[in-house]
Amino acid sequence: MASLGEPFIVGDLMVPNRIVMAPMTRTASPGGVPGPDVAEYYARRAANMVGLIITEGTYVNRAAAGAYENVPHFHGERALAGWAHVLRRVHEAGGRIIPQLWHTGVVRTATDPPAEGPSGLGLDGAPAGKAMTQQDIDETVAAFAEAAAAAERLGFDGVELHGAHGYLIDSFLWKSINRRADHYGGDPASRARFGADIVRAVRAAVSPGFPVFFRLSQWKLNAYEARIAENPDELAQMLSPLADAGVDVFHASTRRYWLPEFDGSALNLAGWVRKLSGKATVTVGSIGLDNQYGEGEFTQGFTRQAGVTGIDELVARLERDEFDLVALGRTLLANPDWAALALRGELARSVPYDPAVLTTLA
């Protein structure tokens, strides 16, 4: 497991190993304020040698950003004070941590204010919410930049922008629901402009060495065969403006890390993104667990038990430089000490995933 234990450097951030905690919404922050239990939940993973923690999605300061109750905010005095305590505990435990900044976009079902997206269409293509005006876009871009500046001010080690799974930034990337006729719609590079504007504003709001991660995916909530890019050329067109705007690391979300992304190559999505963008990447998707849930239902992965599997293929791909970091979700819920076990060569002691772990912040 030596390759997993190698340090990784991006900007001013030195991650002591290649193991990342993936962002997972836990809805355990009443009123949007993360409490001491949230702090200990993250600190427990940091103390067990997780190299980098990416927090659950946190809402930026935009009225339409939220879709779910008890999700933490990344704005306001009380919420930021809560995050300051989380940060302090993680750093005391020897970890590094970055918040994921989030606007849920067309997934929002509340009507006051309504959901907002590129074209007033939901993920199913039916009318939903409102199409964003230029003023809406400008204000949202500013909200992301404000949150990133707050993260650096508090002492976080970087930020991640949530540009995946059908949420706001991703909805602009997806041709199926981005029907705009202005410069935010059309070809892949134009559809990436909204995300690039956010990245550029974030980059301007933080210091040059403060790392900016960007999470992207092909699949969406309840649209698992969706694709923002049908081939490597389309993906390259989309990545270029994001990379030029200042993304340091792309976090490529897949459901199964071992599956090839395009015909004719064994590279997964993180591998293709790394090859095409020249930027470092994070891979994720059922690492360390078997995958018994069906092709059509991602949430079954969280509501059903999953057995333990080896990571030989993962390590081989890491050693071939297909990607730079590896993120785990369910595995780290079931095994807060998974990173320590992996780095000591003791993964035989890891336990299967049981959905009962979702009932507490263990």
Side-chain angles (χ1 to χ4, degrees):
M1 301 298 174
S3 58
L4 280 177
E6 293 178 358
F8 172 77
I9 297 174
V10 56
D12 294 334
L13 171 63
M14 193 283 288
V15 182
N17 59 60
R18 303 305 177 101
I19 300 170
V20 175
M21 183 176 184
M24 291 173 284
T25 298
R26 299 307 308 273
T27 60
S29 298
V33 178
D37 55 344
V38 175
E40 295 312 308
Y41 162 74
Y42 287 121
R44 194 170 299 115
R45 275 79 186 167
N48 279 285
M49 303 178 68
V50 169
L52 176 66
I53 291 167
I54 304 176
T55 74
E56 60 207 286
T58 68
Y59 295 151
V60 298
N61 189 13
R62 176 77 176 164
Y68 314 110
E69 295 293 328
N70 298 324
V71 166
H73 300 172
F74 211 84
H75 62 88
E77 184 176 349
R78 291 181 63 237
L80 292 180
W83 280 117
H85 179 63
V86 173
L87 172 69
R88 183 165 56 252
R89 287 293 298 116
V90 168
H91 280 176
E92 288 172 352
R96 282 77 170 164
I97 183 170
I98 66 176
Q100 186 188 71
L101 307 180
W102 192 19
H103 185 310
T104 61
V106 296
V107 173
R108 177 180 170 86
T109 57
T111 57
D112 185 20
E116 54 188 8
S119 305
L121 299 175
L123 297 185
D124 59 359
K130 57 170 282 189
M132 296 177 77
T133 65
Q134 186 63 54
Q135 180 177 344
D136 293 330
I137 288 173
D138 292 344
E139 290 173 356
T140 301
V141 169
F144 275 94
E146 173 192 334
E152 183 172 34
R153 185 172 65 251
L154 289 175
F156 278 87
D157 300 297
V159 292
E160 176 168 283
L161 308 177
H162 197 336
H165 307 160
Y167 297 116
L168 182 63
I169 298 173
D170 186 38
S171 67
F172 275 80
L173 298 177
W174 194 23
K175 184 178 181 180
S176 292
I177 62 171
N178 182 346
R179 310 286 179 81
R180 297 180 74 96
D182 62 4
H183 55 284
Y184 290 107
D187 61 32
S190 297
R191 299 199 307 273
R193 186 189 296 268
F194 175 61
D197 283 356
I198 291 175
V199 173
R200 193 173 295 108
V202 165
R203 188 77 274 162
V206 299
S207 61
F210 193 69
V212 177
F213 288 56
F214 187 98
R215 197 174 212 208
L216 77 165
S217 71
Q218 296 269 36
W219 66 274
K220 322 298 173 202
L221 296 175
N222 299 318
Y224 304 112
E225 302 308 315
R227 302 177 74 78
I228 58 174
E230 296 293 339
N231 54 59
D233 182 60
E234 288 187 357
L235 183 59
Q237 292 179 55
M238 194 165 283
L239 293 171
S240 181
L242 293 166
D244 290 347
V247 171
D248 296 298
V249 181
F250 284 102
H251 184 178
S253 177
T254 58
R255 298 166 66 208
R256 300 167 175 86
Y257 79 86
W258 57 87
L259 294 181
E261 191 54 46
F262 300 115
D263 292 340
S265 170
L267 289 176
N268 70 6
L269 182 60
W272 273 109
V273 170
R274 191 179 194 272
K275 178 179 179 179
L276 296 171
S277 71
K279 298 292 186 176
T281 60
V282 185
T283 197
V284 67
S286 302
I287 293 170
L289 295 177
D290 65 14
N291 222 320
Q292 300 300 323
Y293 60 88
E295 288 291 333
E297 183 53 70
F298 177 68
T299 58
Q300 290 180 15
F302 287 90
T303 59
R304 295 184 179 181
Q305 293 186 341
V308 174
T309 62
I311 58 170
D312 290 349
E313 181 177 355
L314 175 79
V315 171
R317 287 172 178 251
L318 179 64
E319 291 176 346
R320 292 197 301 267
D321 293 327
E322 185 171 339
F323 36 73
D324 302 273
L325 297 162
V326 300
L328 302 96
R330 292 172 298 156
T331 299
L332 280 174
L333 294 182
N335 298 273
D337 60 347
W338 188 92
L341 294 176
L343 294 171
R344 293 199 300 258
E346 299 176 4
L347 278 182
R349 293 174 51 197
S350 64
V351 301
Y353 170 79
D354 188 312
V357 300
L358 297 179
T359 62
T360 64
L361 286 177

